């Protein structure tokens, strides 16, 4: 697991909270989410799966996450570096968006580079989907221009134009791969090879028109054309899940310390 590297920001928050205690405020916005002094804390976090990342959550008493060290220990325990804190009373609202993209196969890719290439291919589309998600589901929120989405998903504090907290958001995704259709093989880009390497594993079909698994783990569709083979990548089908923990309206104004909209990410 990657180290949580926002110690300085968290320390600044603790300092401000100590020297500037709220008179009647109950809601506190930190670099890692939103705390409510009158209720337990929900830790929402992403964990890696075989086909992406999945969001899970647990409820803890406030004293369990009262400092940076406790938070780091909890994240290490659950195996996550993408998480966000929210009050137990915040209402979870889930939305799902789906899209498909295509990536030209890299016949010499390693397993690591294939994974990175797939992520980079879907990252831009997720950014577009996120903008549409905001318009439809949180129209009063400010969408940060900073990149808050990583391979482990994304997490942030959601604020309005006056920097008032509206809630917290955590984003996860699932990717699957579908073989190209006949129409896609007529129109999509492809790679060329003069022979099928012995390290390619044939999964189905014939040697001249079948599905192969490359050493990188990528499945491709191969079709012979004359003395060469055309190699087509599988379509990447992506399902993005947005979980927004909405604050009660009567509590949104009770804020001790506000941070920029992207400050909720646990990454540096």
């Amino acid at each position: 697991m990657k180290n949580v590297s926002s110690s300085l920001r968290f320390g600044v928050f603790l300092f401000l909270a100590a020297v500037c205690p709220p008179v009647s405020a109950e809601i506190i916005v930190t670099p890692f989410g939103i705390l409510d002094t009158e209720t337990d804390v929900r830790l929402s976090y992403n964990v890696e799966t075989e086909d992406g990342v999945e969001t899970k959550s647990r409820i803890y008493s406030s004293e369990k996450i009262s400092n940076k060290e406790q938070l780091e220990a909890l994240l290490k325990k659950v195996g996550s570096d993408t998480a966000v804190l929210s009050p137990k009373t915040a209402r979870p609202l889930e939305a799902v968006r789906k899209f498909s993209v295509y990536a030209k196969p890299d016949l010499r890719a390693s397993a690591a580079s294939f994974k990175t290439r797939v992520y980079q291919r879907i990252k831009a589309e997720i950014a577009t989907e996120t903008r549409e998600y905001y318009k439809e589901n949180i129209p009063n929120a400010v969408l940060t221009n900073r990149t808050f989405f990583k391979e482990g998903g994304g997490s942030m504090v959601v604020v309005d134009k006056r920097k008032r907290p509206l809630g917290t958001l955590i984003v996860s995704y699932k990717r699957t791969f579908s073989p190209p259709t006949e129409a896609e093989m007529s129109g999509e880009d492809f790679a060329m090879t003069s022979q099928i390497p012995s390290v390619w594993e044939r999964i189905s079909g014939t040697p001249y028109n079948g599905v192969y698994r490359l050493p990188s783990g990528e499945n491709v569709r191969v079709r012979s054309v004359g003395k060469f083979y055309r190699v087509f990548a599988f379509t990447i089908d992506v399902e993005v899940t947005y979980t927004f923990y909405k604050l009660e309206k009567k509590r949104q104004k009770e804020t001790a310390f506000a941070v920029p909209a992207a400050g909720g990410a646990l990454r540096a």
Side-chain angles (χ1 to χ4, degrees), residues 34 156-159 164-169 244-247 252:
I34 300 174
M156 65 187 299
V157 174
V158 180
V159 301
R164 294 177 302 184
L166 302 176
T168 61
L169 177 68
F244 176 55
Y245 294 97
K246 184 178 181 180
L247 289 182
Q252 290 175 358

Side-chain angles (χ1 to χ4, degrees), residues 2 8 31 43 60 66 74 76 80 96 99 150 178 206 233 250:
K2 298 179 182 177
L8 178 60
L43 174 65
Y60 295 93
S66 60
L74 285 176
K76 184 176 181 180
S80 176
V96 175
F99 62 89
K150 308 294 182 182
S178 302
T206 70
K250 64 179 181 180

Side-chain angles (χ1 to χ4, degrees), residues 182-213:
E182 290 294 329
E184 288 172 334
M185 287 192 290
S186 298
E188 297 289 1
D189 200 0
F190 54 84
M192 293 285 290
T193 182
S194 60
Q195 61 181 356
I196 302 298
S198 60
V199 293
W200 291 17
E201 178 187 359
R202 182 155 56 92
I203 304 301
S204 64
T206 70
Y208 307 103
N209 188 1
V211 174
Y212 286 80
R213 179 172 292 120

Side-chain angles (χ1 to χ4, degrees), residues 123 127 130-131 134 142-149 156 260-262:
K123 180 180 178 180
T130 299
R131 287 191 290 270
Y134 264 69
V142 175
L143 176 59
T144 175
N145 290 324
R146 294 173 55 188
T147 300
F148 78 102
F149 193 87
M156 65 187 299

Side-chain angles (χ1 to χ4, degrees), residues 120-248:
Q120 292 295 340
R121 185 65 185 87
I122 68 177
K123 180 180 178 180
E125 292 296 330
I126 289 179
T128 299
E129 292 296 328
T130 299
R131 287 191 290 270
E132 293 301 317
Y133 163 80
Y134 264 69
K135 291 179 182 179
E136 295 178 8
N137 297 275
I138 325 176
N140 296 324
V142 175
L143 176 59
T144 175
N145 290 324
R146 294 173 55 188
T147 300
F148 78 102
F149 193 87
K150 308 294 182 182
E151 285 193 60
S155 59
M156 65 187 299
V157 174
V158 180
V159 301
D160 62 14
K161 293 181 179 179
R162 297 173 59 184
K163 298 293 180 67
R164 294 177 302 184
L166 302 176
T168 61
L169 177 68
I170 187 164
V171 185
S172 59
Y173 64 95
K174 176 182 179 181
R175 59 181 185 272
T176 55
F177 299 88
S178 302
T181 64
E182 290 294 329
E184 288 172 334
M185 287 192 290
S186 298
E188 297 289 1
D189 200 0
F190 54 84
M192 293 285 290
T193 182
S194 60
Q195 61 181 356
I196 302 298
S198 60
V199 293
W200 291 17
E201 178 187 359
R202 182 155 56 92
I203 304 301
S204 64
T206 70
Y208 307 103
N209 188 1
V211 174
Y212 286 80
R213 179 172 292 120
L214 305 186
S216 63
E218 178 179 11
N219 286 347
V220 297
R221 183 71 180 265
V222 172
R223 172 174 287 179
S224 64
V225 179
K227 296 181 179 181
F228 293 90
Y229 297 88
R230 291 182 179 180
V231 184
F232 299 86
F234 276 35
T235 299
I236 309 168
D237 301 312
V238 184
E239 179 178 293
V240 187
T241 300
Y242 299 88
T243 306
F244 176 55
Y245 294 97
K246 184 178 181 180
L247 289 182
E248 301 176 70

Side-chain angles (χ1 to χ4, degrees), residues 108-121:
R108 296 179 177 83
S110 64
S113 63
F114 170 61
K115 180 181 178 182
T116 299
R117 183 163 53 88
V118 169
Y119 164 70
Q120 292 295 340
R121 185 65 185 87

